[in-house]
Amino acid sequence: MTTTPAEPDLQERLQAAFDATIARNDRIEPRDWMPEDYRRTLVRQIAQHAHSEIIGMQPEGAWIGRAPSLRRKAILLAKVQDEAGHGLYLYSACETLGVSRAELNELLLSGRQKYSSIFNYPALSYADVGTIGWLVDGAAICNQVPLCRTSYGPYGRAMIRICKEESFHQRQGYELLMTMMRGTDAQRAMVQESVDRFWWPVLMMFGPPDDRSPNSARSLAWGVKRHSNDELRQRFVDMTVPQAEALGVTLPDPELRWNEERGHHDFGEPDWAELDAVIRGNGPCNTQRMAHRRAAHEDGAWVREAASAFAERTDRADRAGAR
Ligand SMILES: [Fe+2]
Ligand SMILES: [Fe+2]
């Protein structure tokens, strides 16, 4: 926990111990002293991540009742349920930094904390379930695997389990698209249309370019982030191009080509004005996503009340029994 020690000497020693832990690539744990900015940055990042998992259930959740077979329904249900679990681990990790779940929820509902821009795009066909798994969860994996080594212990440990599940999500998406690509012309067209719609918004998931990402350098120095936005975006493109070829879909970027000299793919510039608009709340589904979350929260009020009443009664009974 952060403290404001009276002696300047102690303050310096605490800071030095913190710096040494980071330099050793070791973990900072909830009871360790940490600079207030580090704590605030982590709360913001972990909360944003938790909110993304929860809001991210919406586009695909809408397809559970319309899954084309029992097998697809079971897979999609399991996947959406995993995302709820990810949200819960991450809210718990965030609570170790001294914020409550209720506060985090309030910050989301009032719009003061964000969630990933990608979940403000709609899922319009069942192919989108596949594309979201392949590309959105694929991008999440690129972002999140390095976070397993992040400097804050509870966050890094939550990420290990989350990444294992994300890898299942990515494969189920790819397998669904592969099945559709082996189907009819109409199914192949449905996959291509879906990939065309998602490609650029997925590239934007890595955030603005490095020269426009003001907090990145500090997060890298603290070991909260391990790679810059542009590095991760490049890694994702390099990983995805051969997968698209195997699948037989075209990625909608005329500038996309292998650069022998760099040993990476060159690719076009996403429309950053679109990302800015989505972040400001003007994406295709921002209003709908927040309205749905708010309604779900209000509808769940009786469950929270019943759970606290039950906890209080059990607690009273326990105390009476202990007397
Ligand atoms: Fe997830
Ligand atoms: Fe996922």
Side-chain angles (χ1 to χ4, degrees), residues 49 53 79 82-84 86-87 137 140 144 162 165-166 169:
H49 192 164
E53 301 284 356
K79 196 240 178 191
D82 281 355
E83 307 299 8
H86 298 172
D137 290 280
Q144 294 172 9
I162 291 177
E165 294 178 347
E166 293 303 352
H169 296 171

Side-chain angles (χ1 to χ4, degrees), residues 134-151:
W134 174 39
L135 296 179
V136 175
D137 290 280
I141 292 171
C142 272
N143 258 327
Q144 294 172 9
V145 165
L147 289 176
C148 297
R149 295 181 292 114
T150 196
S151 60

Side-chain angles (χ1 to χ4, degrees), residues 6 9 12 60 66 73 76 94 105 112 123 125 129-130 133 169 176-177 182 191 203 207 214 253 261 271:
D9 218 34
E12 266 166 43
E60 289 176 289
R66 290 175 288 171
K73 191 183 183 113
L76 184 56
C94 207
N105 195 57
R112 276 175 296 157
S125 72
V129 170
H169 296 171
L176 167 57
L177 295 182
R182 289 195 188 118
V191 172
L203 290 188
D253 178 358
E261 227 166 90
D271 178 358

